[in-house]
Amino acid sequence: MKTQNILAFAAIVTLLSGCAFTPAQLDVQATPETRVAGPLSESPPVKFRATQLEDARADKARIGYKKNGYGQNTADITTVKPVDQIVESTVDKALTDTGHPVGDDGIVQIVGTVDRFWFDMDVNFWTIKFIGEVACTLDFIDPQTKQSIYKSKYAGSYNEDKAGGLEKTWTEVMGKALDKLIEDIVLDEALADAVREFTAQGGAAKP
C-alpha cells in the first residue's frame, strides 16, 4: 500500500474516532428554505390540526451510532428534541408551505406513527457515505366522525459521500432526509384528491 494511501485512510480513521466514545446530540429539523410544489399545493386551502404522532420505532433510545474508522459502533447519536416532535413539525411544515394552515380548530386531524428515524455511516477507503432515513405513517381523520379520510406511509432518505464530517454533517444529512419526507407528502396526488373530496362533501377551510 502506498504511503499516501495509508495516510489518507489514517486521516479518515482519526476523523471518525475523535471523541468516538462521547454521545452526540443533533438539533435536527427540515431545511427552513425548502419549498416543494405539487398536487397538495394546488388543492384549495384546508385547515389541519397540528400533527400528533407516536414514536413506534423498535429502538427509541438513539437515531444511530458513532463509529470509529473501522465501522465499529462506539457511542449513541440522539436528537435534542424527541423524534416524534421533529417529524410532527416536518409534516406541519409540508402543509403550511403548500398553503394549508395548521391550528387547534382545524377540520382535519392527523395522527400516526414514526416508523423510522435513523442515521448511518458506511466507511469506505477514500470516503464515508452518510445516510439519513425517515419514515412515518399518517392517518388523516375527520375529527367530527373519527373516520379516516386517507391513510398512507411516507418516507424520505438522503445520502452523501464525503471525505469526512462530524455532527454538523450528520445534522445536515438528517435534515435533508426530512426535506425528502416533505416532498413525498406534497407530491402525493391521492392525498390531494382525498382532501379535495372531503371539502367537496361539506368540509370547508376555516379562516
Side-chain angles (χ1 to χ4, degrees):
M1 183 183 292
K2 295 182 179 179
T3 301
Q4 58 266 36
N5 290 356
I6 297 174
L7 292 175
F9 183 70
I12 290 179
V13 170
T14 301
L15 179 60
L16 284 178
S17 299
C19 301
F21 297 97
T22 304
Q25 194 172 52
L26 310 183
D27 188 6
V28 179
Q29 63 174 338
T31 307
E33 298 79 15
T34 297
R35 297 290 186 278
V36 181
L40 193 59
S41 60
E42 299 167 0
S43 299
V46 172
K47 192 168 188 179
F48 291 81
R49 296 188 182 184
T51 306
Q52 295 182 323
L53 301 179
E54 176 187 350
D55 188 350
R57 298 173 300 147
D59 183 357
K60 299 179 177 64
R62 60 192 62 82
I63 68 162
Y65 292 99
K66 278 189 172 183
K67 298 176 183 288
N68 61 23
Y70 303 97
Q72 298 169 320
N73 299 337
T74 57
D76 289 350
I77 301 175
T78 61
T79 54
V80 174
K81 293 182 179 178
V83 165
D84 53 343
Q85 292 183 17
I86 295 172
V87 180
E88 287 169 353
S89 297
T90 302
V91 176
D92 290 347
K93 174 175 166 51
L95 298 171
T96 57
D97 285 353
T98 51
H100 302 283
V102 174
D104 294 337
D105 58 343
I107 64 169
V108 177
Q109 183 179 8
I110 306 173
V111 298
T113 56
V114 178
D115 305 318
R116 186 164 179 80
F117 197 101
W118 193 254
F119 171 77
D120 208 349
M121 290 176 270
D122 184 9
V123 182
N124 301 305
F125 187 81
W126 292 109
T127 62
I128 308 161
K129 177 175 285 188
F130 299 99
I131 307 162
E133 297 179 329
V134 182
C136 64
T137 301
L138 302 181
D139 195 0
F140 299 82
I141 296 173
D142 180 345
Q144 302 300 319
T145 65
K146 306 301 181 183
Q147 292 184 340
S148 178
I149 298 167
Y150 181 75
K151 184 176 183 179
S152 184
K153 294 181 179 294
Y154 297 97
S157 63
Y158 179 82
N159 64 77
E160 184 173 346
D161 288 300
K162 300 185 71 171
L166 295 175
E167 279 88 345
K168 181 180 179 182
T169 298
W170 309 346
T171 302
E172 290 175 351
V173 167
M174 289 307 300
K176 290 179 180 179
L178 290 171
D179 295 344
K180 292 295 185 180
L181 178 67
I182 289 176
E183 182 177 327
D184 199 27
I185 296 170
V186 172
L187 296 179
D188 186 355
E189 188 169 350
L191 170 60
D193 289 343
V195 170
R196 282 193 292 267
E197 182 178 352
F198 175 69
T199 56
Q201 292 178 349
K206 297 181 181 180

